[in-house]
Amino acid sequence: MTRFDATTPEERQKLFAEGIVAHRERASPFVTFETHADATAESGGSATDGADAEGENSDAPQQAPPWVQFGDGTLNLDCTDAELDDLKALLGEFPAFKIDDIVRPEETEGVNVRVSALADANRVAQCVERIFREVYDRPEEFRAWVAAV
């Protein structure tokens, strides 16, 4: 891999596919894709590194940035119950992808979801792009990057 971030839908999909190929070639445990927690930060606003738009002194809890991991034919992601509903609807358009496991940790809100994704890198990349856009509600020009390969 020679680049590690992208901001347009086409470039992100290419980035995701390249990350998956690099992961497979290196036989790494997984590849992780991330974006900012706050859409303002993605579109050039004042928030940085996932801090909320009002600054670090806000009483609002810090939200972890959305991420999706891929490894061993499985997508792994954390989401809220509402995002889980969106994920289930989205996966209806990807018949080769199936939710294998949903874990609800007691110490945190939300769920961890594992989705079997036995498809080529391009199809997995399409799904990852749609997860960020439709499940995590990212704007069209959000920045995504490969955080780990």
Side-chain angles (χ1 to χ4, degrees), residues 8-84:
T8 66
E10 297 81 19
E11 289 298 311
R12 283 191 305 268
Q13 235 174 274
K14 185 176 177 186
L15 176 72
F16 299 148
E18 289 173 357
I20 291 164
V21 169
H23 147 71
R24 288 176 174 163
E25 287 175 350
R26 296 174 186 184
S28 65
F30 52 83
V31 59
T32 303
F33 307 109
E34 288 185 0
T35 185
H36 289 284
D38 184 317
T40 307
E42 296 157 18
S43 60
S46 61
T48 58
D49 297 329
D52 66 1
E54 295 177 13
E56 292 184 31
N57 294 330
S58 172
D59 291 334
Q62 292 284 336
Q63 183 180 18
W67 56 269
V68 177
Q69 284 183 332
F70 176 81
D72 198 24
T74 301
L75 290 170
N76 180 31
L77 58 139
D78 288 341
C79 57
T80 65
D81 287 332
E83 290 168 340
L84 178 59

